[in-house]
Amino acid sequence: MKSFLKLMVPAFIAASVLPQGANAQRMLCAERDMVLAQLSGRYGEQVRGMGLAPNNRIMEVFVSEETGSWTITVTSADGTMCLMAAGQHFEAMIPVATGEDL
């Protein structure tokens, strides 16, 4: 499977948003519905976890059980979702009791 981010560039280039500032890095961002459609329809990824990030943003982890691909996104209050990281070979871990060796 080709790099997830490399495949997503054409889908998001028109809607990409660049962060402001001298140290700004290019991120792939678009409306949440558009990103969700790509993650589920094209890659078979579904949300497996989420959490509250700084500045009232939502961080989510999407995973494809079939292919093992994964994506981490962050969604702002205005509905803009940005791809933060993606990869292959996702594996769920069983929680270990406190004090036990991994």
Side-chain angles (χ1 to χ4, degrees):
M1 179 186 239
K2 294 180 182 178
S3 167
F4 175 80
L5 293 178
K6 190 173 184 178
L7 291 173
M8 293 299 283
V9 170
F12 295 104
I13 197 72
S16 66
V17 177
L18 297 176
Q20 302 299 311
N23 295 324
Q25 295 179 349
R26 184 172 186 87
M27 290 190 288
L28 297 176
C29 303
E31 290 298 319
R32 180 176 172 78
D33 291 342
M34 183 179 180
V35 178
L36 291 176
Q38 291 292 315
L39 292 176
S40 65
R42 190 173 198 177
Y43 299 99
E45 294 184 2
Q46 301 295 320
V47 68
R48 289 281 302 270
M50 63 188 307
L52 185 60
N55 299 320
N56 293 321
R57 295 179 295 168
I58 301 294
M59 182 279 309
E60 295 172 281
V61 178
F62 293 83
V63 175
S64 169
E65 296 290 335
E66 186 177 317
T67 67
S69 69
W70 58 268
T71 305
I72 297 174
T73 65
V74 173
T75 304
S76 299
D78 67 0
T80 301
M81 179 180 261
C82 297
L83 304 177
M84 305 306 288
Q88 303 285 324
H89 307 292
F90 180 85
E91 185 174 331
M93 305 297 289
I94 298 172
V96 178
T98 303
E100 290 186 27
D101 291 334
L102 295 176

